[in-house]
Amino acid sequence: MKLSGKVFKYGANVDTDAIIPARYLNVSDPDELAKHCMEDIDTEFVSKVSKDDIIVATTNFGCGSSREHAPLAIKTVGVSCVVAKSFARIFMRNAINIGLPLLESAEAVDDTDAGDVLEVELESGKIVNTTKNQTFTAKAYPEFMLELIEAGGLVEYTKRKISAKG
Amino acid sequence: MTLAEKILAAHCGKDRVSPGQFISAKVDVVLSNDITAPIAIREFKKIGVKKVFDPAKVIMVADHFVPNKDIHSAEQAKILREFSREQGSIFFEVGQMGIEHVLLPEQGLVVPGDVIVGADSHTCTYGAVGAFATGMGSTDIASAMATGEIWMKVPPTIKFVYHGKAPKWVTGKDFILHTIGDIGVDGALYSAMEFTGPAIDKLSMDGRFTMSNMAIEAGAKAGLFRVDNKTEAYLQNRAKRPYTVYEADKDAEYAQVIEYDASKIEPQVAFPHLPSNTKPISKVGDIKIDQSVIGSCTNGRIQDLKIAADILQWQRVHKDVRCIIIPGTQDVYLEALRAGYIETFIRAGAVVSTPTCGPCLGGYMGILAEGEKCISTTNRNFVGRMGSTKSEVYLSNPAVAAASAILGRIANPEDIKE
């Protein structure tokens, strides 16, 4: 699958309170959550983001709370994938479980600026910055996580596992 | 094998596991709360099974916005209540509930050797009783509720050794803040932290819960302690199930060993906007505060309230400060009441609330306005964590938070004149 979109760039330790502030967590409707995505660090994000755009950030993206509302808000607002130097552990699980692709590439992050256009091939991990005409390769997923992604997320994977057990 | 590896191996039917290995582990407790359970229940229903794998192992606690702060929160809590009734699983109603990570150990629902998964990042708190406990998201919890198993990558373990004797006023909170200040908020990313050493042997159970609780603030998957006499004494008359005690092997392989001299650690304050942004109390300078919060899953236990009461006794909260004290559970509340702490707090001019996560995550019961500063015994000080994005949260132990409430500035407990 090939993804393409313009870049919103952030720094280190973008926490889940920044991605979706807790004051909005008294609902779990994805569309309601998406309205407040990134609100506390970028008040213009929701009005400027278009479908398929890409978030690029440095280290430890998604640190803090276990709230799945964070990747859900990012996915529902239309972001196609997140590229970072590293991801917080729970955020990574959550994103993969719900089908928000994450890519790890320090080089791509260093050489990409806000507003650049990236093209991402999920299968190969190839990231092309078409604005700067540069190509990068993201860290490969372990085999088990690829299985999860291919199944379409954890709910589908669990369904298959249960039906295989009969 | 390390303590974490021993527990995980026993839960996936293997003699040995090593870091990086993917396993499917059997779980002993599956936890969720009023923020994360509604999504977990929605995803559970999509999986298509009718019943949870074992109703005695599925626990839901409404604690974040409960007693319901508004109509939306009431609707969310209702989803948990109805699901738990239908499933016959464990639900703590208002009146019995407390902050989940204070409540579950207190009720003996988490025991040594367990694998516990919870849709709350501070689930790692239960490492204090020698369990492997880790936070996850709602869909993971849905899958665990359906199957009783969870996929996991075995983490490498970093061993932390605390030598020497902690000075007065230095608690588990200061050990962990000092550690996070040293290694950073991603210093233990994907790893298990194992806390050991002479200063840890002397540390109370409440202090250990505080340390395990904040393992996530270093990016860790779990933060574990070995079971000793203190753990056994805590579990006596509490543990609801028999348990197995695991020990790290003498030749266990650690990714890293990090050592500290506890006698050199001062009370710590984490400045905005990261828990790693720590300074010793002697280097804090003059910072006026508007609010002091004492409580949370980090510091809402009886020893925390005792420390606060000892400092607030015969004192008055500063006229420019709102001091909010929140016992972690009904039992903690009752014990504090019997010990006279609650009267001390009220006479000092503090407010005492029913158990709730409330202010810690900017939910309710102590939201900050623009420009306000709060000293808090909670675990996170991210931008906007307690309210306005232009407010500031400083993290500390209960002694510093109580002394600061009296003096109106971030203060060393030593500065309080008796």
Side-chain angles (χ1 to χ4, degrees), chain A residues 13 15 17 22 25-26 28 40 64-66 68-69 87 89-90 92-94 97 144 154-155 158-159, chain B residues 35 42-43 46-47 70 72 76 120 134-140 143 151 185 190 361 380 382 385 389:
Chain A
N13 305 313
D15 60 79
D17 283 281
L25 300 185
N26 55 358
S28 45
D40 281 1
S65 152
S66 69
E68 200 164 295
H69 313 61
F87 292 93
R89 186 188 68 83
I90 305 176
M92 177 166 234
R93 285 188 81 105
N94 286 343
N97 286 344
F144 173 79
L154 185 63
V155 166
T158 307
K159 268 190 194 173
Chain B
I35 287 181
R42 188 164 79 200
E43 298 306 308
K46 282 188 202 160
I47 292 170
D70 54 23
H72 286 313
Q76 300 229 104
D120 188 278
T134 189
M136 295 186 173
S138 299
T139 300
D140 269 320
S143 175
W151 74 267
V185 288
Y190 298 106
L361 73 162
R380 289 188 180 133
F382 301 149
R385 175 74 180 176
T389 53

Side-chain angles (χ1 to χ4, degrees), chain B residues 145-388:
Chain B
M145 289 198 298
T147 63
E149 291 183 15
I150 193 82
W151 74 267
M152 240 188 253
K153 192 163 112 179
V154 177
T157 300
I158 306 175
K159 183 170 168 173
F160 294 84
V161 190
Y162 301 80
H163 299 284
K165 187 169 175 285
K168 195 180 179 192
W169 306 119
V170 170
T171 64
K173 183 64 165 282
D174 306 294
F175 286 177
I176 193 68
L177 283 177
H178 178 77
T179 304
I180 297 165
D182 180 41
I183 66 172
V185 288
D186 56 357
L189 194 62
Y190 298 106
S191 304
M193 302 170 88
E194 203 176 298
F195 303 110
T196 65
I200 295 299
D201 296 340
K202 288 195 202 82
L203 192 64
S204 68
M205 283 308 292
D206 285 2
R208 296 179 191 183
F209 284 119
T210 303
M211 288 186 74
S212 288
N213 175 271
M214 288 192 71
I216 179 69
E217 293 350 307
K221 187 168 194 162
L224 299 95
F225 289 78
R226 67 178 281 268
V227 173
D228 65 6
N229 293 341
K230 284 197 174 129
T231 330
E232 297 280 9
Y234 179 84
L235 290 161
Q236 209 177 14
N237 304 322
R238 230 187 257 275
K240 295 278 195 299
R241 288 176 279 126
Y243 53 83
T244 311
V245 173
Y246 297 93
E247 287 262 10
D249 291 326
K250 291 234 160 26
D251 61 351
E253 281 178 36
Y254 294 94
Q256 220 181 329
V257 178
I258 298 175
E259 304 187 60
Y260 298 110
D261 181 352
S263 69
K264 298 222 167 75
I265 298 176
E266 286 182 47
Q268 302 284 306
V269 177
F271 276 50
H273 291 285
L274 281 177
S276 57
N277 200 9
T278 54
K279 288 185 189 183
I281 191 74
S282 62
K283 303 257 164 65
V284 162
D286 187 22
I287 296 169
K288 299 265 184 301
I289 56 155
D290 303 282
Q291 181 168 292
S292 170
V293 171
I294 299 170
S296 83
C297 61
T298 314
N299 280 119
R301 298 181 182 80
I302 193 67
Q303 193 195 23
D304 302 314
L305 299 190
K306 180 183 188 313
I307 292 169
D310 286 348
I311 290 176
L312 284 163
Q313 178 108 51
W314 314 122
Q315 300 280 348
R316 290 289 302 170
V317 169
H318 191 277
K319 63 178 175 49
D320 298 333
V321 176
R322 295 101 60 180
C323 181
I324 300 165
I325 302 179
I326 308 180
T329 64
Q330 292 288 79
D331 280 5
V332 171
Y333 202 151
L334 202 52
E335 201 176 336
L337 188 71
R338 287 181 183 136
Y341 306 156
I342 303 295
E343 184 169 347
T344 297
F345 297 148
I346 292 172
R347 283 187 182 280
V351 293
V352 182
S353 157
T354 189
T356 176
C357 306
C360 171
L361 73 162
Y364 70 132
M365 282 297 298
I367 304 299
L368 300 173
E370 183 173 331
E372 290 189 331
K373 292 182 167 68
C374 176
I375 184 100
S376 179
T377 68
T378 54
N379 42 56
R380 289 188 180 133
N381 54 354
F382 301 149
V383 172
R385 175 74 180 176
M386 269 197 183
S388 167

Side-chain angles (χ1 to χ4, degrees), chain A residues 77-123:
Chain A
V77 85
V79 168
S80 60
C81 65
V82 184
V83 181
K85 291 189 181 185
S86 64
F87 292 93
R89 186 188 68 83
I90 305 176
F91 182 87
M92 177 166 234
R93 285 188 81 105
N94 286 343
I96 286 164
N97 286 344
I98 67 159
L100 171 71
L102 305 182
L103 295 109
E104 268 187 32
S105 167
E107 298 76 25
V109 172
D110 283 337
D111 292 348
T112 297
D113 294 306
D116 288 358
V117 172
L118 293 186
E119 278 182 11
V120 173
E121 272 180 28
L122 283 184
E123 293 76 9

